[in-house]
């Protein structure tokens, strides 16, 4: 990070949409701290939406990106959302204050 920048600056905001009952149809947003390592767990998606991990597989849950980049991986057997590769904020967003 640049001098004077907060080390835990937020890098990405990830929205998760799953086919769950309408009561849970609001998007869930997760933030990832800059320079998080590959394999770092972002969230326990199944738990957050009230499903058992096995139900993610049964519902064929998957991650979809607008530009086919896969920065995250969804472990359907555990329900965990993890970072696939270290995310470089400057590469993604340059000097922009917010990076989504």
């Amino acid at each position: 990070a640049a001098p004077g920048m907060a080390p835990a600056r937020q890098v990405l905001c990830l929205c998760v949409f799953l086919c769950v009952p309408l009561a849970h149809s609001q998007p869930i947003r997760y933030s990832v701290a800059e320079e998080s390592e590959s394999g770092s767990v972002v969230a326990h998606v199944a738990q957050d939406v009230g499903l058992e991990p096995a139900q993610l597989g049964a519902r064929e849950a998957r991650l979809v990106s607008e530009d086919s980049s896969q920065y995250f991986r969804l472990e359907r057997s555990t329900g965990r959302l993890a970072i696939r590769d270290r995310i470089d904020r400057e590469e993604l967003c340059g000097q922009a204050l917010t990076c989504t």
Side-chain angles (χ1 to χ4, degrees), residues 69-81:
S69 300
Q70 292 295 319
Y71 299 107
F72 303 93
R73 70 173 181 268
L74 178 61
E75 300 169 357
R76 292 193 289 190
S77 62
T78 64
R80 293 186 302 189
L81 179 68

Side-chain angles (χ1 to χ4, degrees), residues 3-71:
M5 300 297 283
R9 184 171 54 175
Q10 299 301 303
V11 177
L12 297 174
C13 179
L14 173 70
C15 296
V16 176
F17 297 91
L18 293 174
C19 295
V20 293
L22 291 177
H24 296 99
S25 63
Q26 296 298 317
I28 300 172
R29 298 179 190 276
Y30 299 107
S31 295
V32 179
E34 183 174 358
E35 307 297 328
S36 294
E37 293 296 320
S38 174
S40 297
V41 175
V42 175
H44 293 274
V45 176
Q47 179 180 340
D48 292 347
V49 297
L51 297 174
E52 293 297 321
Q55 290 176 296
L56 291 179
R59 292 173 182 248
E60 298 183 18
R62 64 190 181 282
L63 299 176
V64 178
S65 174
E66 289 180 5
D67 65 358
S68 74
S69 300
Q70 292 295 319
Y71 299 107

Side-chain angles (χ1 to χ4, degrees), residues 5 9-10 89-90 92-100:
M5 300 297 283
R9 184 171 54 175
Q10 299 301 303
R89 183 193 190 287
E90 283 76 22
L92 288 173
C93 301
Q95 298 300 315
L97 292 177
T98 57
C99 182
T100 302

